[in-house]
Amino acid sequence: REGHQAGNRTTTVQIRQPIELGGKRRARLAVAEGEAGLARGELAARRQEIRSEVVAGFYGVLVAQERQTLAGALVELARQGVEVAGKRVAAGKISPIDETKARLAAVDATGELNQANGALAIARTQLAALIGRPADALVLAAGQPEQLPPLQPLAALLAAGGESAAVRRARGVLATQRAQAEVERAARIPDVTVSIGTQKEDGAGARQGVIGLSVPLPLFNRNQGRLGAALRRTDRAQEELAAAELAAAAALANAWTRYDLARTQASLLRQDVLPSADSAYALTLKGFEYGKFSILDVLDAQRTLVQSRSRHANALLEAWRAYADIERLAGAAPIAEQDRSTEPGSYP
């Protein structure tokens, strides 16, 4: 810097260094760490969602395979009914109309098999899309869809629900907003600028040192507006965290109830209803062969068997979908400690 005083030229060389006060650097670092934590949380949440979808898709394929197997067995049973009806028509024991009814039932069974084949193809395609493989190259790990594991008590899962992805995300947003409010609060404190240099006048041969200190006086700008806005965003983030905790708890309780009901229904159907329906159909078909039952009795027993197996498959599918939701919402493996041996193993 050059100046003129009384005909003499003065040359000044200075270096200025601002010094931040009020913890501004620490506050900025806290904001950066909060934003990085949010990014990591988003990644973890997406991974958790994908895992949940893969779990549901994996067992959806297994249930669809079970449906296909059962539909094929029903086609075979219907074929046997047609054969028995044909023999009784040939023997003059029943009307040809009854044989037609048996054939229509066989057609319906074939339609059920075609639907099961289509549902399996769709389930495999969806699962393959999730894991990034062609559906034709999809090879499933071993799994038993009927092995539904008992879960931890709802209270334990609700305690773990505080670590769900949505709650962690809301907690990270709150921490970031609090750090941003600290940045705005620190901005109210003015920084100090220190300068050091030398000064020389042309008329004098010597140089002299120059040290300066400048402090701005924020008389008209105390950063009240930006600080107030940051505090309001912090309050909103606090409310969103409370809402996320309530929503996570409600969703987790809903998924746990769905799983418990579906698991109980599947167990009841497997242990009591399906064996009775299988036995009733076999006895009715045998009785029809010997003239003790009509074709309507056979078709009614077959319809009951089909409905029972369909309900069992639907209960299994609903249970595994609810289980996948619980895994996503609880943020941890929800299986009871005493039954870890039945925990689902490797997924595709």
Side-chain angles (χ1 to χ4, degrees):
R1 184 178 63 185
E2 295 183 356
H4 295 274
Q5 184 176 4
N8 294 327
R9 187 172 64 176
T10 303
T11 303
T12 304
V13 178
Q14 286 185 328
I15 299 177
R16 296 181 178 182
Q17 175 62 48
I19 300 177
E20 291 184 328
L21 301 178
K24 295 184 178 65
R25 182 175 182 276
R26 182 176 64 252
R28 289 200 307 271
L29 288 175
V31 171
E33 291 174 358
E35 292 176 348
L38 280 177
R40 290 192 297 268
E42 291 291 340
L43 178 60
R46 185 53 185 156
R47 285 177 174 173
Q48 201 169 22
E49 291 174 2
I50 292 175
R51 172 181 166 80
S52 175
E53 292 173 0
V54 171
V55 169
F58 173 68
Y59 283 99
V61 171
L62 293 186
V63 172
Q65 289 177 343
E66 187 71 14
R67 285 180 183 272
Q68 184 189 50
T69 301
L70 294 176
L74 289 175
V75 168
E76 180 60 24
L77 291 176
R79 185 190 63 79
Q80 294 176 6
V82 172
E83 290 181 356
V84 172
K87 292 178 181 179
R88 290 187 57 76
V89 168
K93 301 294 183 180
I94 61 173
S95 168
I97 295 177
D98 291 337
E99 182 183 4
T100 302
K101 292 179 180 178
R103 292 186 180 277
L104 289 175
V107 172
D108 290 340
T110 302
E112 291 287 339
L113 177 59
N114 291 335
Q115 290 182 3
N117 292 336
L120 177 58
I122 292 174
R124 288 179 62 87
T125 300
Q126 292 175 341
L127 179 59
L130 285 173
I131 63 178
R133 296 180 185 175
D136 296 340
L138 187 62
V139 178
L140 299 183
Q144 295 295 329
E146 292 189 0
Q147 292 183 355
L148 295 169
L151 299 183
Q152 298 178 27
L154 179 58
L157 291 178
L158 287 175
E163 298 302 319
S164 67
V167 174
R168 290 201 306 269
R169 184 186 299 113
R171 192 177 293 126
V173 170
L174 175 59
T176 303
Q177 291 301 331
R178 284 175 173 171
Q180 186 62 48
E182 289 301 318
V183 169
E184 301 301 339
R185 183 176 286 108
R188 303 174 62 186
I189 300 176
D191 296 334
V192 175
T193 301
V194 177
S195 60
I196 185 171
T198 62
Q199 188 178 76
K200 179 183 177 182
E201 293 184 5
D202 288 348
R207 287 182 177 272
Q208 59 181 352
V210 177
I211 299 177
L213 179 68
S214 63
V215 180
L217 298 178
L219 300 178
F220 303 102
N221 181 13
R222 297 287 294 169
N223 204 35
Q224 296 285 1
R226 295 175 65 88
L227 177 59
L231 291 175
R232 286 192 294 272
R233 287 194 296 268
T234 301
D235 293 338
R236 184 178 63 183
Q238 182 71 53
E239 294 173 356
E240 290 176 350
L241 173 59
E245 290 174 341
L246 291 175
L252 184 56
N254 178 273
W256 190 92
T257 302
R258 284 167 45 214
Y259 180 82
D260 185 60
L261 292 175
R263 182 171 181 261
T264 301
Q265 183 181 26
S267 177
L268 178 64
L269 288 168
R270 183 181 67 253
Q271 295 176 6
D272 299 331
V273 178
L274 288 181
S276 299
D278 287 334
S279 176
Y281 180 77
L283 292 175
T284 304
L285 184 60
K286 181 63 69 174
F288 172 67
E289 187 176 359
Y290 288 100
K292 294 182 178 181
F293 297 107
S294 68
I295 188 63
L296 294 179
D297 294 325
V298 175
L299 296 179
D300 186 62
Q302 179 179 326
R303 188 179 304 109
T304 300
L305 178 59
V306 171
Q307 292 175 350
S308 299
R309 291 181 173 178
S310 178
R311 288 175 58 192
H312 181 246
N314 289 337
L316 289 176
L317 185 58
E318 172 62 17
W320 283 116
R321 286 175 175 172
Y323 175 85
D325 289 340
I326 292 171
E327 272 205 342
R328 175 175 53 83
L329 294 167
I335 299 176
E337 290 295 335
Q338 66 270 20
D339 199 69
R340 291 289 172 180
S341 60
T342 62
E343 184 176 1
S346 58
Y347 300 118

